Amino acid sequence: MHRVKSYILLITCVFISSISLRAQSFETGGIVGVEYDLKVLKGWHFNAGTQVRFDHNFTHYDRWKITAGTDYTFWKKRIKIGAVYSFMNYQDDEGLFEFRHRITGSLTFSQKIGIARLSYRAAFQSTFRNENRGDYTFNPKTYMRNRLQCTFSIPEKPVKIYVSEEFWWRLYHPGKNIIDELRTVVGVKYEINKHHTLDFYLRLADEVQVKDPKHILMLGINYEID
């Protein structure tokens, strides 16, 4: 138990330092989600999920998302390729609703080192917006998302602690293909039993290199079934 508390304290300190260094003022919000993962064949999985997100300090419905995807893991569980489709109902600050579609393809490499697993994920993401709802200069919005994550498995405990850092590389704007968002996540996964897991996390999203950048701290909970 002392070791678990030490890991949590260390990761919390890193997260707080990240906030103090990058975001002097920010709003808060929340995310609630459910995910289901089905093993189809050895290494091949089908997954689906839904998620609701609130922003403006938990007072505003931001979006509802439904996802469906598949992934395949090989080479001793070190490499995973995946594809996901997302359908989103989005509400802007003026209260207008819009349906959006998103396609994501990803490649993940991971390596286990003692009680830790280090992984790097590269993902290409395109979000298609409704032209009837807005005058969009660029549609779809395409990003390359790069995430580095470290997960610690606590010996003899149904608990995993993880921390990740991700940057969003804008690809849709010719001449301004910049990194415009950084995302830090700190979380704890608790395995209720073999097939049910609760994931609690804090997510800090920082816009960078843009005019009037936003800084949003999200409190999230996700229920995972496999």
Side-chain angles (χ1 to χ4, degrees):
M1 182 61 67
H2 177 71
R3 180 177 293 182
V4 174
K5 291 180 180 179
S6 297
Y7 282 127
I8 295 176
L9 179 61
L10 175 61
I11 294 176
T12 302
C13 288
V14 172
F15 187 74
I16 292 175
S17 297
S18 175
I19 293 176
S20 62
L21 287 173
R22 297 210 308 256
Q24 300 302 317
S25 62
F26 53 85
E27 67 178 67
T28 59
I31 304 172
V32 179
V34 178
E35 292 183 10
Y36 175 71
D37 185 87
L38 174 66
K39 182 178 180 181
V40 181
L41 294 171
K42 183 179 179 180
W44 181 29
H45 289 243
F46 168 81
N47 41 73
T50 185
Q51 184 185 92
V52 179
R53 189 168 76 184
F54 301 89
D55 57 8
H56 295 318
N57 303 316
F58 299 92
T59 63
H60 176 261
Y61 163 80
D62 180 45
R63 74 177 190 188
W64 171 48
K65 180 173 69 172
I66 300 175
T67 62
T70 185
D71 58 68
Y72 180 70
T73 304
F74 58 99
W75 193 36
K76 299 180 180 180
K77 298 183 179 181
R78 292 176 180 171
I79 297 179
K80 180 169 70 174
I81 55 176
V84 177
Y85 164 75
S86 302
F87 173 79
M88 294 179 291
N89 173 248
Y90 172 80
Q91 181 182 208
D92 63 20
D93 292 341
E94 297 178 356
L96 299 177
F97 292 91
E98 177 185 341
F99 293 120
R100 296 180 179 180
H101 305 271
R102 175 176 292 171
I103 298 174
T104 306
S106 63
L107 173 65
T108 305
F109 176 80
S110 62
Q111 177 64 52
K112 194 176 185 332
I113 306 173
I115 65 170
R117 178 173 289 275
L118 188 65
S119 67
Y120 165 73
R121 184 189 70 186
F124 284 92
Q125 170 185 295
S126 290
T127 303
F128 298 82
R129 297 175 291 178
N130 189 344
E131 295 284 356
N132 296 324
R133 288 292 185 180
D135 183 17
Y136 300 121
T137 304
F138 303 101
N139 193 25
K141 292 182 68 174
T142 302
Y143 282 91
M144 180 178 182
R145 298 172 54 176
N146 296 265
R147 187 191 72 185
L148 183 63
Q149 178 169 303
C150 190
T151 302
F152 300 91
S153 298
I154 308 304
E156 301 180 0
K157 300 291 182 181
V159 176
K160 292 183 179 180
I161 303 171
Y162 63 92
V163 58
S164 69
E165 184 69 25
E166 182 176 19
F167 67 85
W168 295 51
W169 180 19
R170 180 198 296 172
L171 300 179
Y172 63 87
H173 196 316
K176 293 185 179 180
N177 294 336
I178 60 173
I179 295 172
D180 64 6
E181 182 175 329
L182 301 175
R183 181 174 291 182
T184 306
V185 179
V186 175
V188 177
K189 289 192 175 186
Y190 176 73
E191 297 179 1
I192 301 172
N193 55 43
K194 185 178 180 180
H195 299 290
H196 299 265
T197 302
L198 282 175
D199 181 9
F200 303 93
Y201 59 92
L202 288 173
R203 189 181 81 184
L204 176 63
D206 295 323
E207 290 186 332
V208 294
Q209 302 190 83
V210 296
K211 185 179 180 180
D212 300 323
K214 296 181 180 179
H215 308 287
I216 304 176
L217 179 64
M218 290 280 184
L219 172 64
I221 180 172
N222 201 48
Y223 183 55
E224 302 173 0
I225 307 170
D226 59 23

